Amino acid sequence: MLDRLLEFDETNDRPGNRGKGCGWNRVRSDDDVKMDEPEDDGDSEEFPRFMTPLMLATQCGLYETVEYLVNRGHKLDRPHPPQCTCSERCMVSALSADVVSDSCKRLNGYWAISNPTFICTTSSSSDPVLECFRLHEELLRCGSAEQVHNATYTYMAAQVRQFAVEMIVNCRTSDEVKIMLRNRDGCKFRGQFPYPRLITAMDYKQKEFVAHTNIQQVLETAWLGDWIEWKSYTGPQKLMYLVWRFCMLPVTVALGVLAPNSGLNRSNRLPINRMFNSLVTYLVFLGLLFAHSNADKFKVRRGAPKLSTWLPIAVFVLGHAVEKTKLRLQQGPERFFRNMWNVFDTVKLTLFAMAFLCWALAGAQAGWVSDDLDRKYWHWSDPQLVAEGLFTVATVMAYLRLLFLCQLNYYIGPMQVSLGKVLHDFGKFATFLAIIMVAFTCGLGTYYSYYAGMVRKDPETGETVRQEDSFVTVPDTFKTLFWGIFCMTSLEAPNVVVGNEAHRPGGDGGGGPVDAETQSHRFTQLVGFGLFAAFEVLMVVVMMNMLIAAMSDTFQGVTENAEYEWLFGRTKVYVSYMLQDDMPPPFNLLPTTGLLFCAKRFASKSWRGYGRLPGDDGCGVDSDLDSRSTAAAPEFRELMAEIVKRYFTMHRPLVEH
């Protein structure tokens, strides 16, 4: 079939025929579309009219043929995604209303450009890894926009993702891996980092690429430095080392302030020791929070707490705020808030700041309000009560922050990843939960309002039964239904109690005679029981089991891919500490690199560009790293050419077969 296409293409290149339409097999560029085509230019028996020799050769993976056609000037236009609305091509195609042909042409176009043969033989071959990252994301977006072909686009995206992994597989030495990882092209992080391509891969969620053995070995070398003895430590030895780092914290701080770049401070600049220093200081912070939260509330007077109680906590919070501010200035707001842990920390620090502000208001309020007034007489919106509530929520979030370090452990790391994905499943389940809750709450909201407060007294035994407040108001109905999901609602909640008194309790008067006999409203009770039973069956039996099944499937998927899921999560922890080049909070408030960095950012007129200012401290990387870490660098181009040769040499038997 390809020979036939090439034969027709030879006819197109003959003198006299060049530039004339010879059927569907000639290369159709944007200029060709404007040319007049012969009337017999229709579909062939084998191929549609948009199929070209280059497109067919790339789909078949014929490297030599593709290279031959590209060298002769053939080109393959990149297809426009389904959500594109350009006036040049997409709007014209939309007006033609031939959605089947357009969709087929787009699929074949993406199938061609996503083939490794095309990626390595076109202009994008200077950096095929970055091209794979971008094409993978584009294919996934196409699948989301065109759901009918989502499976096909997802398959093509998986093929592209695997080709990026094959590029790192063919690196045979650590130097080759480092050359590939030092490429800054496509990296949106503007600070200094030894391996910008690793950050790019993490931004594009290339988990298999990040978790590959070659990359992990190079990354672990940068994490440990020359401290290879750490791998041989047992669990108790690692715990004792953490205690030793706690005892050496004053010495570490002194070296960081007085001699940050000296040889004595070299071990403290290792990323793993930065992690231990941060962990030690954070445990001290959690200890202060525990002491403050468990103080005797009976001894707490109106107004702000004692200065000795909240000042150390405020210093720690300020140190963490400076650390996050520096990271945001380095990364920019878009990339910073894309990381959910950064969002988590921002909310936590905001709650702490609001709590301190409310305490300050409470201290000012103590000047004109008696501090002898008992707490039970305070208004619900009293600044001190609000401050205590905000501080409690922030304390819970501060302790939950330890989950981030759980990703370092091989056994509990995948479970931590599963926790995040399970919460995502619950977010989707919450949509159904909200719709069902609103439906039944609106239906039963005031269904029993007439019977509110009614009491029925048995004339024989004298026992009284009071109408429950389960469905008399909308808030009560919502509360009853919510706790009913967890089977914590009384079974008598839908009962209807008709009072046997002449007047409604609290009413303006009855509507019948005093000696009239009250009736049993069985139909009203039947409707209430029926709706409540339907809610319980729908939520407890159906929806809860559906949620459990979805969570189990998610956990099973993470377990099956636990290797790269855990390694990807661990890499996030590694990178977060490798980006830090100053002392942990609150010692970063001292006149060191962290505080000076933020001061220079705010003082500079170009801080919005998130570029690196002269004199910014790095992570132990050469100052000329940026100039020799692009796709145009000779060493990178030579490496890519060699890796492409290795790839096609390894896959040649499969292609020929």
Side-chain angles (χ1 to χ4, degrees):
M1 294 184 294
L2 185 59
D3 294 339
R4 182 185 172 191
L5 285 173
L6 292 176
E7 180 181 353
F8 282 135
D9 187 71
E10 290 287 347
T11 305
N12 289 338
D13 284 343
R14 293 175 184 173
N17 290 336
R18 190 166 300 176
K20 297 181 179 180
C22 278
W24 49 265
N25 56 314
R26 67 184 181 90
V27 179
R28 296 171 56 85
S29 63
D30 293 338
D31 296 333
D32 295 334
V33 176
K34 302 177 183 179
M35 297 180 181
D36 295 332
E37 297 183 353
E39 297 180 357
D40 59 347
D41 187 13
D43 290 348
S44 72
E45 297 177 356
E46 300 174 84
F47 305 106
R49 64 195 304 261
F50 57 77
M51 184 64 67
T52 63
L54 182 57
M55 181 181 293
L56 182 59
T58 53
Q59 292 181 358
C60 296
L62 303 178
Y63 181 83
E64 291 83 357
T65 306
V66 172
E67 189 176 24
Y68 167 76
L69 292 174
V70 170
N71 292 335
R72 294 187 57 194
H74 291 241
K75 62 179 181 179
L76 187 61
D77 293 334
R78 194 181 189 91
H80 290 210
Q83 60 270 25
C84 180
T85 57
C86 64
S87 58
E88 297 179 0
R89 182 186 303 180
C90 297
M91 294 302 296
V92 176
S93 300
L95 294 176
S96 66
D98 193 356
V99 293
V100 176
S101 178
D102 294 340
S103 178
C104 182
K105 182 179 180 180
R106 184 184 301 111
L107 275 176
N108 279 270
Y110 275 114
W111 192 274
I113 67 172
S114 63
N115 192 284
T117 303
F118 181 80
I119 296 175
C120 294
T121 54
T122 57
S123 58
S124 59
S125 60
S126 59
D127 194 355
V129 177
L130 180 60
E131 179 66 18
C132 288
F133 292 169
R134 292 172 174 172
L135 187 57
H136 174 266
E137 186 179 44
E138 183 177 349
L139 289 171
L140 292 181
R141 288 200 303 264
C142 290
S144 300
E146 204 168 12
Q147 290 290 336
V148 291
H149 296 300
N150 185 41
T152 305
Y153 282 115
T154 303
Y155 176 77
M156 288 189 288
Q159 296 295 104
V160 171
R161 185 173 66 244
Q162 182 59 33
F163 176 65
V165 177
E166 292 290 340
M167 292 290 98
I168 202 68
V169 167
N170 285 278
C171 291
R172 298 176 179 175
T173 63
S174 299
D175 292 337
E176 293 182 349
V177 177
K178 292 178 181 178
I179 292 174
M180 180 177 292
L181 295 182
R182 286 173 182 168
N183 193 333
R184 293 196 62 90
D185 292 343
C187 183
K188 299 179 181 178
F189 179 76
R190 295 308 174 192
Q192 279 196 337
F193 186 73
Y195 307 124
R197 177 50 54 88
L198 180 62
I199 296 182
T200 305
M202 295 174 64
D203 290 342
Y204 284 100
K205 301 186 185 307
Q206 300 292 320
K207 296 184 179 181
E208 294 89 342
F209 182 88
V210 173
H212 192 268
T213 307
N214 293 348
I215 292 181
Q216 290 297 316
Q217 289 176 338
V218 172
L219 181 63
E220 192 168 359
T221 301
W223 173 256
L224 297 176
D226 56 356
W227 188 26
I228 59 177
E229 296 85 359
W230 171 257
K231 297 181 180 180
S232 61
Y233 282 11
T234 60
Q237 288 177 321
K238 294 180 179 179
L239 182 60
M240 291 304 299
Y241 181 77
L242 179 63
V243 176
W244 183 80
R245 296 297 304 185
F246 177 79
C247 298
M248 292 296 295
L249 188 60
V251 179
T252 302
V253 175
L255 290 175
V257 175
L258 302 177
N261 298 320
S262 65
L264 297 175
N265 197 43
R266 181 180 178 183
S267 62
N268 292 327
R269 293 183 62 82
L270 290 177
I272 185 173
N273 283 330
R274 294 177 192 167
M275 185 266 292
F276 278 118
N277 293 335
S278 298
L279 179 58
V280 166
T281 57
Y282 196 76
L283 291 177
V284 175
F285 175 57
L286 294 182
L288 293 174
L289 293 178
F290 179 82
H292 186 275
S293 299
N294 291 273
D296 190 357
K297 294 298 185 293
F298 290 98
K299 298 181 180 180
V300 177
R301 310 290 292 180
R302 176 183 287 273
K306 295 181 179 179
L307 187 64
S308 59
T309 303
W310 66 270
L311 183 59
I313 299 177
V315 172
F316 270 94
V317 171
L318 182 59
H320 285 287
V322 170
E323 182 183 56
K324 291 300 174 182
T325 301
K326 176 186 175 181
L327 188 61
R328 182 201 174 276
L329 292 175
Q330 284 182 332
Q331 298 182 355
E334 181 180 357
R335 189 177 184 278
F336 177 82
F337 289 110
R338 192 184 304 142
N339 187 342
M340 296 308 299
W341 282 112
N342 291 335
V343 177
F344 183 89
D345 290 335
T346 302
V347 174
K348 177 188 67 177
L349 295 174
T350 303
L351 292 177
F352 274 122
M354 293 175 62
F356 295 145
L357 179 61
C358 291
W359 267 323
L361 293 177
Q365 187 186 40
W368 67 82
V369 179
S370 175
D371 57 353
D372 295 330
L373 185 64
D374 193 83
R375 178 182 288 259
K376 61 185 177 182
Y377 299 110
W378 297 358
H379 192 266
W380 66 268
S381 61
D382 190 277
Q384 188 164 347
L385 296 179
V386 175
E388 292 174 354
L390 296 176
F391 188 85
T392 300
V393 177
T395 301
V396 173
M397 297 182 68
Y399 275 88
L400 290 177
R401 190 62 170 82
L402 293 175
L403 291 173
F404 179 71
L405 294 178
C406 292
Q407 299 175 101
L408 292 174
N409 188 272
Y410 176 77
Y411 298 100
I412 64 177
M415 298 184 65
Q416 195 272 346
V417 176
S418 301
L419 178 62
K421 294 183 178 294
V422 163
L423 292 177
H424 180 70
D425 290 338
F426 179 78
K428 295 185 291 185
F429 170 78
T431 303
F432 298 98
L433 175 64
I435 294 175
I436 296 174
M437 287 291 295
V438 169
F440 282 89
T441 300
C442 292
L444 291 171
T446 57
Y447 187 58
Y448 290 4
S449 59
Y450 176 84
Y451 309 97
M454 282 192 175
V455 179
R456 183 176 183 84
K457 184 176 181 180
D458 192 334
E460 297 180 358
T461 61
E463 296 181 356
T464 59
V465 180
R466 180 177 294 273
Q467 174 66 48
E468 294 194 16
D469 296 334
S470 302
F471 303 109
V472 295
T473 62
V474 173
D476 290 334
T477 303
F478 182 84
K479 180 182 66 175
T480 302
L481 295 177
F482 179 80
W483 292 113
I485 299 175
F486 307 100
C487 302
M488 298 178 63
T489 300
S490 173
L491 296 178
E492 287 77 20
N495 284 344
V496 175
V497 176
V498 181
N500 53 4
E501 299 179 1
H503 299 277
R504 291 175 53 194
D508 297 332
V514 176
D515 57 351
E517 182 180 358
T518 59
Q519 303 295 322
S520 177
H521 295 182
R522 296 180 180 179
F523 181 77
T524 302
Q525 181 171 291
L526 177 64
V527 173
F529 265 103
L531 289 177
F532 187 66
F535 175 82
E536 289 292 308
V537 171
L538 186 60
M539 291 300 302
V540 179
V541 179
V542 179
M543 297 303 300
M544 291 301 293
N545 283 280
M546 182 187 301
L547 177 62
I548 293 173
M551 290 181 174
S552 300
D553 183 67
T554 299
F555 183 81
Q556 183 65 27
V558 174
T559 303
E560 293 176 354
N561 304 302
E563 188 67 25
Y564 70 79
E565 289 283 359
W566 168 67
L567 290 174
F568 187 79
R570 189 185 69 169
T571 303
K572 290 183 179 179
V573 181
Y574 283 2
V575 170
S576 66
Y577 286 104
M578 292 175 71
L579 292 175
Q580 300 176 8
D581 55 0
D582 48 7
M583 290 184 294
F587 303 108
N588 60 340
L589 298 177
L590 299 173
T592 55
T593 57
L595 197 60
L596 294 177
F597 179 92
C598 294
K600 287 188 294 182
R601 282 290 186 221
F602 283 111
S604 174
K605 296 181 180 179
S606 61
W607 70 275
R608 292 183 180 274
Y610 310 106
R612 184 170 53 87
L613 294 178
D616 290 347
D617 197 8
C619 302
V621 190
D622 297 336
S623 59
D624 62 338
L625 180 63
D626 293 351
S627 61
R628 59 183 180 88
S629 298
T630 61
E635 58 180 0
F636 183 81
R637 296 181 62 180
E638 294 174 1
L639 176 62
M640 286 294 102
E642 185 63 27
I643 289 179
V644 169
K645 291 180 182 179
R646 296 172 187 172
Y647 172 80
F648 284 104
T649 300
M650 182 175 61
H651 290 77
R652 185 182 299 275
L654 298 177
V655 172
E656 292 179 354
H657 178 73

